[in-house]
Amino acid sequence: MTNARPHITKAVVPAAGLGTRFLPATKATPKEMLPVVDKPAIQYVVEEAAAAGLSDVLMVTGRNKRALEDHFDRNYELEEQLTAKGDEAKLQRVRESSALASIHYVRQGDPKGLGHAVLCAEQHVAGQPFAVLLGDDLIDPRDPLLSRMIEVQQALGGSVVALIEVDPAQIHLYGCAAVKPIDWQGSGKDGEVVQVTDLVEKPDTAEAPSNYAVIGRYVLDPAVFDVLHNTAPGRGGEIQLTDALRTLATSGEAGGGPVHGVLFKGRRYDTGDRADYLRAIVRLACEREDLGPDFRSWLRDFVGTELKA
């Protein structure tokens, strides 16, 4: 059977947040530009989109986010200096960000929540399925979650969310999904893909329908826009993408559904708060070929010294 679903080429990256958990560092610097080892967090996200074949990226930004545009633009003066010095290695690294994808920008204006940020992409998406990547979640390129999600959407239609199992005591920090198994495997593993039957944004632990948490990767059917236009502000007084996906999940195929989930057990680096951000840097630095050996040796000595103190 020929798959007639449109090929997915567009990604939306909401990047309008104020980064208040990282003040004062984010007073003048966008949180997305905070370095994770030696690249800003937002570059990891765009690299992931490009690796999944998404060549058209729309960043939804706000005030004081000009640094994002500068980072993904060419810097001819710097490139000329590096060329004159014959420093090809650094020149290549400087040029990497501007060659990843075709990147566009739109301002969110009012900070009305993730659902509103996604709505800002409606005109750019132009009625096609698209991916949404949140910058607080960095996915290791050795575990291609987004490519798997695109495969599921192309095969089953509707929308797809990424799910992880968390300690039930932590589920109140996430959107939470109720799921049921389906008889489909594709190129993945048994039980990896499930159907989402309900979604709740940051439920109380006692009321959570499961311990499956939604993380910041989505592949969405354009039907989500009609739902978002009619979604009232929810938790925190914001338009919640979770609420719109709940409508799709319970409306059936005729209403823009279904919603499926990919259960992810790979490597994920959470940069959403200060402690997790530091852990992400340490983990990634330890795995770098150029930094890892010396850094791991220093870290062992440092931790050993601290434990003896």
Side-chain angles (χ1 to χ4, degrees):
M1 179 182 295
T2 301
N3 189 344
R5 293 191 176 94
H7 181 60
I8 299 174
T9 61
K10 296 186 177 183
V12 175
V13 180
L18 298 177
T20 54
R21 286 177 289 184
F22 285 86
L23 286 170
T26 51
K27 178 181 178 181
T29 301
K31 71 169 185 175
E32 296 84 4
M33 290 299 298
L34 294 179
V36 180
V37 187
D38 53 4
K39 287 190 297 190
I42 193 71
Q43 183 169 333
Y44 289 89
V45 175
V46 176
E47 287 174 349
E48 180 186 350
L54 306 180
S55 57
D56 186 332
V57 176
L58 176 70
M59 290 193 186
V60 183
T61 67
R63 295 185 60 208
N64 301 324
K65 299 285 185 169
R66 180 61 183 272
L68 274 70
E69 298 185 37
D70 289 341
H71 179 72
F72 290 101
D73 197 2
R74 295 285 299 273
N75 186 327
Y76 292 102
E77 294 83 1
L78 177 58
E79 290 179 24
E80 288 177 0
Q81 287 188 13
L82 294 174
T83 299
K85 294 179 180 179
D87 196 334
E88 287 296 324
K90 288 182 181 177
L91 179 63
Q92 180 62 29
R93 302 205 70 191
V94 166
R95 287 176 172 172
E96 281 178 356
S97 60
S98 59
L100 288 170
S102 176
I103 302 179
H104 312 269
Y105 304 88
V106 64
R107 285 201 173 191
Q108 183 176 4
D110 297 327
K112 296 180 180 178
L114 177 57
H116 181 260
V118 172
L119 263 178
C120 293
E122 183 175 15
Q123 184 175 1
H124 185 84
V125 168
Q128 301 293 311
F130 63 103
V132 175
L133 297 86
L134 306 188
D136 286 347
D137 284 316
L138 306 185
I139 305 299
D140 195 292
R142 293 168 293 184
D143 301 308
L145 170 63
L146 189 57
S147 296
R148 176 62 168 155
M149 295 174 68
I150 291 172
E151 177 195 5
V152 173
Q153 196 282 333
Q154 295 283 271
L156 302 179
S159 297
V160 184
V161 298
L163 302 174
I164 60 170
E165 287 192 76
V166 300
D167 187 310
Q170 299 297 312
I171 196 64
H172 68 283
L173 300 173
Y174 298 87
C176 175
V179 304
K180 67 178 182 181
I182 62 170
D183 186 19
W184 186 84
Q185 183 178 346
S187 65
K189 301 175 182 177
D190 288 334
E192 181 190 24
V193 179
V194 295
Q195 184 168 342
V196 175
T197 59
D198 199 6
L199 285 157
V200 185
E201 178 66 17
K202 297 181 179 177
D204 293 336
T205 301
E207 299 176 357
S210 75
N211 66 329
Y212 288 116
V214 181
I215 60 172
R217 296 295 182 272
Y218 309 81
V219 178
L220 301 180
D221 186 278
V224 73
F225 292 118
D226 288 338
V227 177
L228 283 169
H229 278 298
N230 294 287
T231 298
R235 192 174 184 90
E238 298 181 335
I239 298 174
Q240 298 290 348
L241 180 59
T242 302
D243 294 342
L245 288 170
R246 180 177 190 268
T247 299
L248 292 177
T250 57
S251 65
E253 189 172 345
V259 176
H260 291 98
V262 173
L263 305 180
F264 182 62
K265 297 182 180 180
R267 287 156 284 202
R268 165 180 171 256
Y269 311 106
D270 186 351
T271 60
D273 65 31
R274 291 171 297 176
D276 286 334
Y277 171 74
L278 293 174
R279 294 186 190 103
I281 292 174
V282 171
R283 289 172 64 185
L284 287 168
C286 284
E287 296 199 1
R288 286 269 296 264
E289 291 184 1
D290 57 338
L291 298 173
D294 288 342
F295 185 66
R296 289 193 300 269
S297 177
W298 173 85
L299 192 60
R300 282 192 292 267
D301 292 342
F302 175 75
V303 172
T305 300
E306 288 296 301
L307 288 175
K308 294 176 183 177

